[in-house]
Amino acid sequence: MWSLVPFADRLADAVERKRSQLVVGIDPVAEQLPPGVSELEFCLGIVDAVAESAIAVKPQAAFFEALGPSGWAAYAEVCDYAREVSLLVIADAKRGDIGSTARAYATAFLEPRGDRQPLADALTVNPYLGRDSLDHGAGLFCLVKTSNPGSGDVQDVELAAGGPLWQHVARLVDEWGNDLVGECGLSSVGAVVGATYPREVAEARALLPRAPVLLPGVGAQGGQPADLAPAFAPGPAAGLVAASRSVIYAYRDGGGDWREAARAEAERLARESWSVAEVS
Amino acid sequence: MWSLVPFADRLADAVERKRSQLVVGIDPVAEQLPPGVSELEFCLGIVDAVAESAIAVKPQAAFFEALGPSGWAAYAEVCDYAREVSLLVIADAKRGDIGSTARAYATAFLEPRGDRQPLADALTVNPYLGRDSLDHGAGLFCLVKTSNPGSGDVQDVELAAGGPLWQHVARLVDEWGNDLVGECGLSSVGAVVGATYPREVAEARALLPRAPVLLPGVGAQGGQPADLAPAFAPGPAAGLVAASRSVIYAYRDGGGDWREAARAEAERLARESWSVAEVS
């Protein structure tokens, strides 16, 4: 029923086929929605709007959890619909826990649900608990250097062996992904590196030659595709440009129909990123 | 409608009143349940069984998420029922994300739901994303040194300034909790330190003089109350003994009715812990 092709190869295939590295984050926030449009209707509309130009959506679990028990059902519906229109789904949940609990996360997000497909193709995970917290085989994107201003509190701490902590985590991610390299040459264990830190993007690429790098923070947080060239060096699928608010709430800046505004901004950003990747 | 007393003071009050530091983790796993008992029925039965001897329950979100959309409704029902029988609720979800998303987690777990109480009194959080990932005011327990074998991969890395990373995180937690010290002298920002690492428990206490320390890993993972004396030094509410499988699945070792077995094991462990704390 569901794909047995490794996540890395499905990813590379989607990128080549669509000539796009765009991942659209779905963060429904009540105050930002168009008047009279429900969270679920909005999310499904966004999936439709970006289905041609993006390769994946990245629904952020926290915003759905904040809706209460109905939010979790909405989350499943958005994931299922995205997969129906041939988008990959990266569940942005930043999970990480000890062995037995990590298996429960895998069950929730990455394993078939009875005779239905898994909720998602890949999951974002937090490395703080170490390797036994990442005990499953689908796509994973491990936090390495995050896009937020406070990311330095822990990630930039200088190690006795030299370099900041996030570089140590990058080396662990490379090691964890060793056995999961697909035919495309990329691993199914990827990394999250904030597009707001271009120098770190280049350094991370050097430490992670086979990891797909998910680059959040483009758009509303200030990241620019032009600064991300090193991420694409191993191939176009090696750098995934992730934008959320600047795409899904594009109508708030530019006006017009919210679906058309999201579609136009997604197309623009996908083209801009592809043109950077092509010359990398 | 809900308590405005700081979490730290509600915690200290519960500990003094019940003469217990016991926190019971609720991890429903289908294969471990008594035959014919549903996950929800089991969890509610466990809440009843431990209501007298524990001060809090700690439902692990992952196990409920693994049940699919109905799991989230069950999670809310278990939390609500625990608060009805005067237990504190520590949502074990190990969340941590950037600013706007951290607010969504706070909405999901720690803020009133319409005219209903918040889901939980406190939430476990992951420090990897730094301070802006911990932007809310209820009770928090920040992961410092976790109980699992792989916790050393990241947490034990040696820093240029000396000592392992987890000690740096402990100092950050102390700083983050500075402004949130209650009348009882403890902060509402606590720490998670695995009971499986007694030496680290003592070292963490020295770095975190005002933090309630949640000590998971007692029982099935091998931690012993007798090794945890330093955690209780600032007062009985300063060390919270957390056991999950050894309490809730006690019937699997000792036989008999599952509720009675859980009740007996919770009472035994609460008494054992209190006797250690009394002489600390």
Side-chain angles (χ1 to χ4, degrees), chain B residues 46-64:
Chain B
I46 290 292
V47 169
D48 265 334
V50 307
E52 297 288 314
S53 54
I55 52 141
V57 287
K58 180 172 71 71
Q60 167 55 263
F63 291 101
F64 292 84

Side-chain angles (χ1 to χ4, degrees), chain A residues 145-148 151 191-202 204 213-232 239-243 269 273:
Chain A
K145 171 69 186 169
T146 57
S147 60
N148 56 317
S151 72
V192 177
V193 183
T196 46
Y197 295 107
R199 199 190 58 194
E200 283 80 355
V201 168
V213 176
L214 182 64
L215 304 151
V218 171
Q221 291 182 61
Q224 302 281 346
D227 295 335
L228 304 175
F232 306 118
L240 305 175
V241 174
L269 189 54
S273 305

Side-chain angles (χ1 to χ4, degrees), chain B residues 175-192:
Chain B
E175 191 188 310
W176 293 338
N178 247 337
D179 302 334
L180 292 163
V181 176
E183 287 183 12
C184 64
L186 292 173
S187 172
S188 287
V189 180
V192 177

Side-chain angles (χ1 to χ4, degrees), chain A residues 65 95 128 131-132 144 148, chain B residues 65 95 128 132 144 148:
Chain A
E65 290 176 354
R95 297 300 194 254
Y128 191 70
R131 182 175 193 164
D132 57 346
V144 169
N148 56 317
Chain B
E65 289 176 355
R95 297 299 194 257
Y128 192 70
D132 57 345
V144 169
N148 57 316

Side-chain angles (χ1 to χ4, degrees), chain A residues 16-140:
Chain A
E16 296 287 353
R17 193 161 35 82
K18 287 185 163 173
R19 297 173 59 85
S20 167
Q21 296 99 347
L22 181 64
V23 175
V24 175
I26 302 190
D27 304 0
V29 180
E31 308 83 68
Q32 309 246 34
L33 298 184
V37 177
S38 75
E39 278 91 352
L40 181 58
E41 189 184 346
F42 178 74
C43 295
L44 297 176
I46 289 293
V47 169
D48 265 333
V50 307
E52 296 289 314
S53 54
I55 52 141
V57 287
K58 181 171 73 68
Q60 168 54 263
F63 291 101
F64 291 84
E65 290 176 354
L67 302 175
S70 71
W72 196 246
Y75 195 81
E77 200 165 330
V78 172
C79 292
D80 285 342
Y81 186 61
R83 296 169 63 121
E84 244 173 68
V85 299
S86 297
L87 285 164
L88 294 167
V89 175
I90 301 172
D92 196 0
K94 301 190 175 63
R95 297 300 194 254
D97 212 306
I98 68 168
S100 59
T101 310
R103 281 191 290 281
Y105 289 132
T107 303
F109 288 100
L110 300 173
E111 287 169 7
R113 297 161 290 165
D115 56 0
R116 296 168 67 204
Q117 294 204 355
L119 203 58
D121 299 285
L123 176 68
T124 57
V125 295
N126 186 310
Y128 191 70
L129 287 99
R131 182 175 193 164
D132 57 346
S133 68
L134 304 173
D135 180 25
H136 33 72
L140 294 177

Side-chain angles (χ1 to χ4, degrees), chain B residues 218-232:
Chain B
V218 171
Q221 290 183 60
Q224 302 281 347
D227 296 334
L228 304 174
F232 305 118

